[in-house]
Amino acid sequence: MTTEPATQAAPRAEGTPPSSSAAPVPGPAESRARARPAIVTVDDDPSVSRAVARDLRRQYGERYRIVRADSGPQALEALREMKLRGDRVAVLLADFRMPAMNGIEFLEQAMDLYPAARRVLLTAYADTTAAIDAINVVDLDHYLLKPWDPPQEKLYPVVDALLEAWVGTDHDTAAETRVVGHRWSARSYEVRDFLARNQVPYRWYLSEEPEGARLLAAAEASPDALPVVITPDGVTLTDPTDAELAGRVGLSTTPTEDFYDVVVIGGGPAGLGSAVYAASEGLRTVLVERMATGGQAGQSSRIENYLGFPDGVSGAQLTDRARRQAVKFGAEVLTTRDAVALEVNGPARTVRFDDGQEISAHAVVLATGVSYRQLAAPGVSEFTGRGVFYGSALTEAPSCSGQDVYIVGGANSAGQAAMHFARHARRVTLVVRGPSLEASMSHYLIQQIAAVDAITVRTCTEVVGVEGDGHLERITLRNSASGETETVDTHWLFVFIGAAPRTSWLDGVLHRDERGFVLAGPDLIVDGLRPSGWALDRDPYHLETSVPGVFVAGDARAESVKRVASAVGEGAMAIALVHRYLEKR
């Protein structure tokens, strides 16, 4: 087996020498080699592995590094190190039949590290059914039958096409975005979370470590003014706002037009579903998101009950595909735009933002979703972002290695987070206020949790206090049945305690229920009477609100089913109703 530069455990690029522990800084030759994107091949048969690497090196060795591994876990370790270095990966080729981890399982996990890399499965003729199934599971780009001789006919044309497609994607901004901050700085966490949720890869440096200090010195930035973000073009941003950060890392924040056919507010599954269907049907579409596409679903480590993904899919993967799909059809996607008002101006519907700007459209789809309720225990607000986090905060998972993690909540989002953090933490404790998980969590997830020894479920329990010196160090738990309290040591508390709709900005404009969820369609008809102010001679359409031409989809709608599939379906259905509204105005 060969060895990757800079590590003794992972594979190395073909033709490069092993590293020396006395030379931690890459030399000029190694730096030039790493500047080339990589083609990674994985096969447990040494002769096949060498043959694949040989054929790839002959054709692509001058432009790409060829990295080979003889197992999935070994290749994943290499990919993790390459990701930390900011290396780029263009193509992943994996053999299907490998012990411990087959090719499909490897590609599925590799997607989390390099979602833009093109994926190829090497398979025998008898395994073509598995290869076809992998098209849905890992969004497979191609499968190759072994043997692939002659490569000029069977291998190179396939790889040429994949490399051409990869080069056309936006993959090159990742390596140079760097963030320097303090471990327990709430704003440092918020910046990292913003970049991660917007699929903007970055490198994270602690200010007190040598490399972080060197970056601060090079940027002439004060260690007291954190976080510091160094953009790909070398611009230094000190404690930037989300809008400043978005503008510098290539995210769209300004609409290209003043008027659209449809404005979609919210970029979760419902909003993305609306944007895809609206744009694909020729409507001038803009999707407006206050932070990042995906919503709560985008923060899920694994969604296993979504149609078409029998082995599950991460929320980031699912929403990134949906976003790219919407953009492909021509939808604009704007981030860091917070809607604060909705107005009716004749046939136009106008959305105003917190900075005073506005956009108008014939129709509006409200897909604002929900946010997690705040934990009311004393001290929580002081430690938010410094040990207390709302949502899964996946960027923090590696930092929890070998430590105790507490998760508050009993619904699917809390269960998915527990399964994810159990891969890293020593012990994960689910703190559930109710007597069991059955009332709020899917059966499949309850079974999975029961099978993981590292996860403990404490029912009839709530967090009543948090303490620490500068960051979370202890929490106090109370058993509601016995009244007994217990203080436990932990640096990590993740909160999933119900949802409140993001609809306060619609107060006085739309009819909402007592909890703030938007009423629509039949729910607006009371004793056979249409809602007050309704001027049309028809009843509101199924997802139409009390303002004609304004529709609601997903979790923000009253009595909605809080599932990803139903949100996507409502988003698509809303566009069908938008068409009906536009035709009959």
Side-chain angles (χ1 to χ4, degrees):
M1 189 191 81
T2 54
T3 307
E4 177 76 12
T7 177
Q8 294 293 324
R12 75 171 174 91
E14 291 289 322
T16 59
S19 65
S20 167
S21 58
V25 179
E30 186 177 343
S31 296
R32 286 195 298 272
R34 286 183 179 172
R36 291 178 292 158
I39 298 174
V40 178
T41 174
V42 190
D43 199 305
D44 66 310
D45 186 329
S47 62
V48 175
S49 179
R50 286 192 295 269
V52 175
R54 178 200 64 214
D55 288 342
L56 292 172
R57 188 168 60 252
R58 285 175 178 172
Q59 184 74 1
Y60 307 104
E62 291 185 1
R63 294 173 293 143
Y64 294 88
R65 289 191 301 135
I66 311 303
V67 178
R68 62 183 178 90
D70 55 18
S71 72
Q74 186 187 65
L76 286 173
E77 183 62 25
L79 288 175
R80 293 187 186 99
E81 294 186 11
M82 294 166 72
K83 185 72 172 180
L84 290 174
R85 292 197 302 258
D87 295 351
R88 294 175 292 154
V89 175
V91 176
L92 301 163
L93 298 95
D95 182 52
F96 173 64
R97 288 184 176 269
M98 293 189 293
M101 176 183 291
N102 66 37
I104 296 175
E105 293 168 338
F106 161 73
L107 290 172
E108 185 179 14
Q109 295 191 41
M111 286 173 66
D112 290 330
L113 297 169
Y114 286 98
R118 303 296 160 166
R119 294 169 285 278
V120 181
L121 195 67
L122 301 176
T123 180
Y125 182 80
D127 297 322
T128 53
T129 300
I132 293 172
D133 291 341
I135 293 174
N136 278 335
V137 177
V138 296
D139 200 16
L140 193 69
D141 294 294
H142 205 280
Y143 67 89
L144 284 173
L145 293 176
K146 297 188 294 185
W148 58 88
D149 289 325
Q152 292 80 3
E153 296 178 11
K154 297 184 178 181
L155 177 63
Y156 298 154
V158 171
V159 177
D160 284 344
L162 296 177
L163 289 173
E164 181 179 358
W166 178 80
V167 167
T169 62
D170 182 19
H171 55 265
D172 200 22
T173 61
E176 301 302 327
T177 301
R178 288 159 288 179
V179 181
V180 184
H182 187 273
R183 177 70 195 87
W184 298 112
S185 160
R187 184 56 190 159
S188 294
Y189 157 71
E190 290 169 357
V191 166
R192 293 163 57 208
D193 191 50
F194 177 84
L195 293 173
R197 291 182 61 185
N198 279 288
Q199 305 291 315
V200 178
Y202 65 91
R203 297 185 188 183
W204 163 245
Y205 301 90
L206 292 174
S207 59
E208 63 269 25
E209 293 183 346
E211 184 61 23
R214 283 193 289 268
L215 285 172
L216 290 177
E220 298 182 342
S222 169
D224 298 326
L226 298 177
V228 168
V229 178
I230 304 170
T231 67
D233 54 1
V235 174
T236 298
L237 304 174
T238 301
D239 192 16
T241 65
D242 288 351
E244 292 171 337
L245 193 56
R248 284 293 183 178
V249 298
L251 299 174
S252 297
T253 60
T254 305
T256 61
E257 301 182 33
D258 294 326
F259 198 90
Y260 295 83
D261 291 318
V262 60
V263 175
V264 181
I265 308 297
L272 288 167
S274 287
V276 167
Y277 278 89
S280 67
E281 293 168 10
L283 297 177
R284 291 171 299 166
T285 305
V286 59
L287 183 149
V288 179
E289 169 55 48
R290 60 194 293 271
M291 180 178 178
T293 53
Q296 287 189 0
Q299 297 177 273
S300 175
S301 58
R302 181 66 53 182
I303 301 170
E304 297 194 59
N305 57 352
Y306 187 69
L307 184 67
F309 293 87
D311 294 317
V313 61
S314 75
Q317 290 172 3
L318 185 64
T319 55
D320 180 58
R321 294 181 194 179
R323 181 195 58 79
R324 289 189 284 117
Q325 193 174 15
V327 171
K328 181 188 76 171
F329 285 126
E332 291 183 39
V333 178
L334 308 180
T335 56
T336 66
R337 304 311 302 262
D338 196 4
V340 296
L342 174 66
E343 300 176 358
V344 177
N345 296 309
R349 304 293 180 259
T350 300
V351 177
R352 296 191 183 277
F353 301 116
D354 57 351
D355 62 357
Q357 294 187 351
E358 63 181 47
I359 53 175
S360 297
H362 293 302
V364 173
V365 176
L366 300 171
T368 51
V370 295
S371 58
Y372 291 113
R373 290 195 174 93
Q374 304 294 295
L375 189 64
V380 167
S381 59
E382 177 185 352
F383 296 115
T384 299
R386 293 185 289 168
V388 177
F389 305 94
Y390 290 88
S392 51
L394 299 182
T395 54
E396 301 301 307
S399 301
C400 300
S401 179
Q403 302 184 50
D404 292 340
V405 170
Y406 285 78
I407 297 175
V408 182
N412 278 10
S413 53
Q416 290 161 353
M419 292 295 297
H420 179 72
F421 281 104
R423 303 177 192 170
H424 304 272
R426 175 176 61 187
R427 168 69 56 183
V428 176
T429 302
L430 260 178
V431 180
V432 183
R433 185 170 57 179
S436 71
L437 294 173
E438 278 72 11
S440 54
M441 189 177 294
S442 295
H443 179 67
Y444 81 89
L445 199 49
I446 295 174
Q447 289 182 311
Q448 289 182 357
I449 289 172
V452 178
D453 292 337
I455 300 178
T456 298
V457 179
R458 295 185 60 161
T459 58
C460 299
T461 304
E462 54 187 335
V463 176
V464 295
V466 301
E467 304 173 30
D469 183 10
H471 63 88
L472 180 67
E473 295 178 315
R474 294 171 299 280
I475 65 174
T476 301
L477 304 173
R478 180 176 64 196
N479 186 293
S480 59
S482 66
E484 296 179 353
T485 62
E486 175 187 4
T487 299
V488 295
D489 294 333
T490 184
H491 297 306
W492 308 100
L493 180 66
F494 299 89
V495 183
F496 304 81
I497 52 170
R502 294 195 182 104
T503 61
S504 59
W505 61 286
L506 298 168
D507 187 30
V509 180
L510 302 180
H511 290 206
R512 300 180 297 155
D513 67 12
E514 64 280 0
R515 296 178 297 164
F517 291 93
V518 177
L519 297 169
D523 292 334
L524 290 167
I525 307 300
V526 179
D527 297 328
L529 298 177
R530 295 167 181 159
S532 59
W534 185 266
L536 302 183
D537 60 356
R538 62 166 177 83
D539 291 345
Y541 296 135
H542 185 70
L543 298 179
E544 196 169 20
T545 69
S546 55
V547 173
V550 177
F551 299 83
V552 61
D555 291 358
R557 183 177 66 84
E559 304 302 326
S560 64
V561 178
K562 305 301 188 286
R563 290 291 184 268
V564 174
S566 62
V568 173
E570 286 192 6
M573 181 181 176
I575 298 305
L577 297 173
V578 165
H579 280 295
R580 189 183 302 178
Y581 167 77
L582 295 176
E583 291 168 358
K584 297 184 178 182
R585 281 184 304 163

